[in-house]
Amino acid sequence: VPRSDRYSVDSLRRLAAIDLNAAYQRVNEGEQNGELSKFESADLCAHLTYQYTDNYALAIEYCRKALSALGDDDDEPRVETLYLLSTIAEAGKDFQTCINACTEGKEVAHWNKMKFEEHSFDYLVGKCKLDMGLKDEGLALMSSSIDKAIQVVDGEGEYGHLIYFVNNLINCYIAVDNMEDVLRESDHLERLIDEMEAKYPQAKPYCDQCRFDLHSNRAIAKITLGRPQEAETDFDQALAFDFAKSYRGSDPLLPLYSAAGRGGAV
């Protein structure tokens, strides 16, 4: 491995997929020899722990370590790390930690005019509330944060991120049997996927995988609403994108667009 690549996210991920402890050791080595800062070291360990284990408490500990290594002016990495912390806490059902991190993250994002990130924190609070049993409040907050994020979405990463959110909300609507809402959000999703592919043709594998999910979910909603002929059309369209599923886990863009933003798990 070339020296410059030894501590890159990609090479550490490849190593972690084979031997996570070896990846941790390499990160530690990078911190010891000065190639990685204390922040970078803790941040990498947080991502690796979240992606390759279900030890949410340890991943949260690494996030806190990363945050404590930041200076007062490091607002952008602070927002990103608080977002990762929120995502991990939500996945681990540590709702209070998630809501606290979202509150802090939203405040820092607001001061720095990071509007997309502000709405992302709101989305996660909504997901927390839904998982805590506050169904209507949670879904309403998730939906309104998406509506606001659509107004400011910019750049390939944000498009991928927002598409992930809308797809996740659609799955939540299916789980609570709100099929009209599934169809409404599916229209949002289709527009976003088309926009993303038009602006970033290299994201086509990701977009096609999302189209598979889009048409599958539309078909489920239409069957439930008693519209079987329309559902059949959507099932046929979903099958046309079925090959896209083979990209899962191998396409380098997929981890980028997951809930944890640039470095999370799929």
Side-chain angles (χ1 to χ4, degrees):
V1 180
R3 189 75 186 150
S4 59
D5 187 47
R6 184 167 173 80
Y7 308 109
S8 73
V9 175
D10 285 343
S11 78
L12 285 163
R13 275 207 180 115
R14 286 194 294 273
L15 180 57
I18 304 160
D19 184 345
L20 182 59
N21 282 329
Y24 285 141
Q25 282 165 9
R26 188 182 290 181
V27 171
N28 188 47
E29 167 200 299
E31 189 184 338
Q32 297 300 318
N33 67 24
E35 292 255 345
L36 296 172
S37 69
K38 273 191 164 61
F39 168 76
E40 288 169 326
S41 160
D43 183 59
L44 283 165
C45 286
H47 278 115
L48 294 172
T49 305
Y50 178 47
Q51 188 159 4
Y52 294 103
T53 79
D54 54 7
N55 191 341
Y56 301 112
L58 180 59
I60 285 170
E61 206 178 298
Y62 280 124
C63 285
R64 293 197 195 285
K65 203 173 165 186
L67 288 166
S68 68
L70 288 171
D72 291 342
D73 298 330
D74 295 329
D75 285 344
E76 196 169 313
R78 187 174 301 282
V79 167
E80 285 177 10
T81 307
L82 283 165
Y83 189 73
L84 177 62
L85 172 57
S86 307
T87 304
I88 293 167
E90 204 284 320
K93 307 301 177 209
D94 183 349
F95 301 127
Q96 199 53 57
T97 296
C98 178
I99 289 169
N100 290 347
C102 285
T103 304
E104 187 184 344
K106 188 178 172 183
E107 200 172 283
V108 182
H110 181 74
W111 281 112
N112 288 276
K113 298 185 168 51
M114 298 165 77
K115 289 188 172 164
F116 186 85
E117 287 78 2
E118 256 192 270
H119 304 320
S120 298
F121 281 115
D122 275 340
Y123 179 90
L124 271 182
V125 172
K127 182 72 169 65
C128 260
K129 291 189 171 182
L130 175 65
D131 289 347
M132 289 162 74
L134 304 167
K135 185 183 88 168
D136 293 341
E137 193 183 338
L139 288 169
L141 186 51
M142 290 164 78
S143 178
S144 67
S145 66
I146 283 171
D147 290 344
K148 289 173 188 166
I150 284 173
Q151 305 305 314
V152 298
V153 63
D154 181 39
E156 186 181 349
E158 289 187 2
Y159 266 97
H161 211 78
L162 186 53
I163 285 168
Y164 181 93
F165 281 157
V166 181
N167 211 11
N168 189 249
L169 178 59
I170 287 169
N171 289 331
C172 293
Y173 280 139
I174 287 173
V176 298
D177 207 23
N178 289 15
M179 296 305 170
E180 293 291 357
D181 290 322
V182 169
L183 296 181
R184 189 192 72 244
E185 289 297 338
S186 293
D187 292 342
H188 270 164
L189 183 57
E190 189 160 38
R191 193 175 87 239
L192 285 168
I193 294 169
D194 289 344
E195 278 179 21
M196 184 177 186
E197 190 177 328
K199 290 180 180 181
Y200 312 103
Q202 68 274 21
K204 181 172 170 55
Y206 177 74
C207 292
D208 281 349
Q209 181 190 307
C210 294
R211 286 190 177 98
F212 174 86
D213 294 329
L214 167 75
H215 290 297
S216 301
N217 288 333
R218 267 188 179 152
I220 291 165
K222 286 174 180 175
I223 278 190
T224 310
L225 291 167
R227 292 151 61 179
Q229 282 178 310
E230 289 177 51
E232 198 173 324
T233 305
D234 273 298
F235 270 129
D236 287 345
Q237 286 178 291
L239 288 172
F241 292 107
D242 191 34
F243 76 92
K245 282 298 189 189
S246 65
Y247 283 92
R248 188 181 286 282
S250 63
D251 182 72
L253 288 173
L254 294 183
L256 183 70
Y257 305 131
S258 74
R262 294 188 306 184
V266 176

